[in-house]
Every structure is written in C-alpha cells, then in structure tokens.
Amino acid sequence: MQLIDQFDRKVDYIRVSVTDRCDFRCVYCMSEKMSFLSKSTVLSLEEIERVIRVFSELGVKKVRLTGGEPLVRKGVDKLFGAIGQIKGLDEITLTTNGSQLKKKAKMLRDSGVQRINISLDSLNPSTFKKLTRIGDLDKVLDGIHTAIDIGFKKIKLNTVLMKQINEEELYDLVDYAIKYYLDISFIEEMPLGQTDHDRQVTSVSNNDILFKLKERYSLSKTAITTSGPAKYFNIKNTQTKIGLISPHSHNFCENCNRVRITCKGELYLCLGHDTKIELMPLIRSFPKNDAPLKEAILNSMSIKPKSHNFSLDDKQPSVIRFMSHTGG
Ligand code: SAM
Ligand code: SF4
C-alpha cells in the first residue's frame, strides 16, 4: 500500500514530534513564556510507536523524530528501541538541539538511528545564550563530539542566521563543520508562531548567504535532492556539504514527499498550512484496530495542499503555531 496524494505525489517520509517541550527557548522558535501541553493531551510513547508502524504499513520508509526537543521526553530511549524494530522503515533520523547527546548518542546508535541533524546557531557562548535564551553551548559541543566519536556518519548542523545576532558567524560555523567533517544547512527563518522580534528585520536570505559563501569557498552544486526545500553544494577539497533551506526564495512543493504528526496526534499535511486531521480520537477509540486509522490517513491524501506560501511581509505570522508544535 502507498500514500499518493491528489497531485500524484508519493508520501513516504514522516516527521514526528515526540514532545512540544524543550530545554531551550530559541528566539525564532518560541516566545519567552511558553505554555506546554499536559501529559493527557499528548500521545503516549506506545501510541507514537503505533502511529509510526501504521505509516510504515502504508509505505512510509523514512521517519524523523523531532519536537520540541525529542531527547528530553521521559522514556524516549524505549521509543527509539521500539521504532528500530519496525520492519519496512529504511531510515530513522533525528533532529536535536544536542543538549542531551552526550548521554544519548550511544542509545541512538544502538537503536538504529542512522542520521542526526544537530541545531547549532553560534559558537560564541554569549550569542548562543542570547539565541537560545537558556541553552549552554559547552553542553551542545560536548554532545556533537560524543556523536562524532561514537561513529555517527553524516552528522548535519542546522543553523538559522539572524541579522544583528549571529549573521557574522557564517564563516566560523562553516569552518567548524569543515574541521570536523560535518555537513551544515542554513535555514531561512520561517514565519511560524508569534515571536518577540520582527522577522522582517532579522531574516537573512539564503541568496545573501550563498553570495558570501562564494566569496570565500569554492562551491559546486550537487545533484542531491531530498524532495524538500534544500539545495546542496560541495565545498571543494573538503568533505563538507552546505545545504540552503529556502522556504521563501524557492518553491519546492511539487516534489513534497512528507507529512508531519504532532505529539497531540494531529496529522499536518503541510508545514505552511493549517490543513490537518486529528488522529488521536481514532487512536484512542480503536486501541486494537488499526483499520480506521489507516483509512483516515489514506483519505487525508486528498487534502494535502499543493504548496505553501510563506510571507514575511505580513505583520502576522503565516501560521500561528510554532515550529516546536508542528515539529521541524
Ligand atoms: N529541538 C530540536 C532542534 O532544535 O533541532 C528539534 C526541533 S526544532 C523545531 C527543528 C529545527 O527547526 C531546528 O533546526 C530549528 O532551528 C528550526 N526552527 C525552529 N523554528 C524555526 C523558524 N521559525 N524558522 C526556521 N527554522 C526554525
Ligand atoms: Fe527547542 Fe529546537 Fe525550538 Fe530551539 S529550535 S526552542 S531547541 S525546539
């Protein structure tokens, strides 16, 4: 069985947010005072495992666990272990802020996680603190190096550059990635959720980033495609690839292969739209019967939007929910 949407796009990739909670409060992702969901309103770990298994039975091959910060959820080790046993999944990946990686890297590798994306916006402790509000850079760097030492290949850093905050660290971050044989992607700030700053002022365009990168590095475009918003470049004489994730500058929706499931069991068909269906009632009303859940997921393909349309021109965010809600 396969998930094919109304525009004939095959959906074989899910991103699952295992919690909306986080031990950081990145300024582009959360407001200073966040309220989080209560335990009874979020999927249990067993329910998350079930949803992932059901999607795998519908042809999904790749799952990325994200959040919030996935590694702060209590019992997450068990979840990774269980997902590692699901037949039919070719790839289990994780997006993390790195704060818990020192403790968790071995567990992740043993559970079969193949790839890790680690967010790193600054190598300067005080800028890092300003961006994350409460994060500790040393802990994250320790986590990154534990993951490297444990043998994770293809570690990718994710960076959001913001004007007047960390924009000037572009070369430092790329040089760090080159030094440790990592890849690095720059994500344009997206208008998700109401933040305390004006995104029209802070947003750095990937066109500008590319221009600066070319001034210093010799880049060649790669043929790599993830069916997502990223373009990849090799840096000559290094093992580092640079990704530019540009939801504003380029339209990448025609090849979209993914949907997102939040920790509340909402199935979002597009990051930039509110179109969703609620899986929680089906999960809880039919604890032993997957058929209604499968049917709802199959039917959801008829409402997957053709494309998103992010705009920084409006004063209101394009989508009210934060990235930490939907899962990045
Ligand atoms: N806590 C984990 C982390 O930070 O990697 C996983 C969840 S986080 C929501 C996933 C990614 O979304 C991070 O790389 C973060 O930089 C990015 N992100 C969050 N809010 C964003 C926004 N408004 N625009 C662009 N990227 C954003
Ligand atoms: Fe937490 Fe990740 Fe959002 Fe930062 S980007 S606040 S680490 S969920």
Side-chain angles (χ1 to χ4, degrees):
M1 224 183 272
Q2 285 196 335
L3 294 173
I4 311 275
D5 81 353
Q6 56 175 330
F7 304 104
D8 229 21
R9 295 172 298 192
K10 184 166 140 194
V11 172
D12 58 6
Y13 176 21
I14 54 173
R15 294 193 175 195
V16 182
S17 171
V18 304
T19 178
D20 63 327
R21 290 171 193 254
C22 188
D23 50 351
F24 292 0
R25 297 284 182 276
C26 302
V27 292
Y28 50 77
C29 178
M30 293 192 176
S31 62
E32 190 148 22
K33 291 203 170 38
M34 291 288 287
S35 46
F36 295 104
L37 298 166
S38 64
K39 197 174 170 202
S40 63
T41 60
V42 303
L43 296 174
S44 69
L45 296 170
E46 292 73 19
E47 288 168 336
I48 294 175
E49 178 200 341
R50 181 177 166 206
V51 170
I52 296 173
R53 180 179 48 72
V54 165
F55 269 98
S56 81
E57 288 166 8
L58 292 169
V60 163
K61 300 282 177 218
K62 176 173 168 185
V63 58
R64 174 174 298 281
L65 295 197
T66 177
E69 174 46 44
L71 297 182
V72 301
R73 176 132 186 205
K74 221 170 145 195
V76 79
D77 298 21
K78 210 173 120 211
L79 177 64
F80 276 102
I83 297 170
Q85 302 300 312
I86 297 177
K87 292 193 182 61
L89 286 180
D90 292 343
E91 198 175 347
I92 304 169
T93 61
L94 167 75
T95 304
T96 174
N97 66 22
S99 69
Q100 310 296 315
L101 265 184
K102 194 176 164 75
K103 288 186 283 184
K104 302 282 189 189
K106 184 173 178 310
M107 174 280 291
L108 293 167
R109 193 203 52 197
D110 293 348
S111 305
V113 173
Q114 287 112 326
R115 292 203 293 153
I116 311 186
N117 291 357
I118 307 171
S119 298
L120 181 69
D121 298 323
S122 174
L123 291 163
N124 175 315
S126 68
T127 309
F128 189 85
K129 184 73 83 188
K130 192 170 168 192
L131 270 161
T132 59
R133 293 197 184 98
I134 47 176
D136 177 352
L137 176 63
D138 282 343
K139 239 174 131 180
V140 171
L141 295 180
D142 255 9
I144 293 174
H145 291 283
T146 306
I148 295 172
D149 293 344
I150 246 165
F152 273 105
K153 303 270 180 303
K154 298 190 185 165
I155 296 174
K156 180 162 76 82
L157 304 176
N158 276 342
T159 301
V160 177
L161 288 183
M162 297 174 76
K163 285 200 176 114
Q164 296 160 14
I165 305 184
N166 61 341
E167 192 186 11
E168 301 307 320
E169 286 193 61
L170 171 66
Y171 296 146
D172 291 346
L173 287 158
V174 174
D175 289 344
Y176 175 83
I178 292 172
K179 184 171 175 191
Y180 294 106
Y181 309 107
L182 311 174
D183 292 333
I184 182 164
S185 281
F186 294 95
I187 313 176
E188 282 178 351
E189 189 180 357
M190 291 179 247
L192 301 172
Q194 187 79 57
T195 50
D196 305 331
H197 61 277
D198 182 350
R199 286 181 168 125
Q200 286 182 56
V201 174
T202 55
S203 181
V204 179
S205 144
N206 272 346
N207 288 335
D208 294 346
I209 293 179
L210 184 59
F211 183 81
K212 283 194 189 158
L213 288 171
K214 283 182 173 164
E215 286 186 324
R216 175 153 167 158
Y217 307 99
S218 174
L219 302 182
S220 59
K221 215 167 166 186
T222 72
I224 296 171
T225 163
T226 57
S227 302
K231 284 206 167 92
Y232 290 98
F233 299 84
N234 289 317
I235 309 179
K236 204 170 168 195
N237 300 326
T238 77
Q239 297 191 28
T240 295
K241 275 195 296 297
I242 296 192
L244 297 178
I245 303 182
S246 312
H248 303 297
S249 328
H250 303 282
N251 212 325
F252 48 88
C253 302
E254 64 190 38
N255 296 319
C256 181
N257 64 345
R258 63 202 62 183
V259 293
R260 293 173 161 82
I261 300 113
T262 71
C263 57
K264 276 169 78 181
E266 300 150 309
L267 170 60
Y268 278 102
L269 284 312
C270 171
L271 181 63
H273 277 271
D274 287 324
T275 315
K276 64 168 175 176
I277 61 166
E278 302 281 352
L279 301 180
M280 181 80 95
L282 297 168
I283 293 168
R284 300 230 161 135
S285 307
F286 302 96
K288 301 256 179 277
N289 176 9
D290 292 336
L293 187 56
K294 275 191 182 157
E295 192 184 333
I297 295 168
L298 280 164
N299 289 341
S300 73
M301 291 297 110
S302 67
I303 55 164
K304 184 168 162 59
K306 188 170 185 186
S307 64
H308 70 261
N309 183 21
F310 287 135
S311 168
L312 288 176
D313 297 338
D314 307 327
K315 282 284 168 217
Q316 289 303 314
S318 303
V319 168
I320 302 299
R321 59 182 194 281
F322 285 104
M323 184 78 123
S324 59
H325 176 161
T326 323

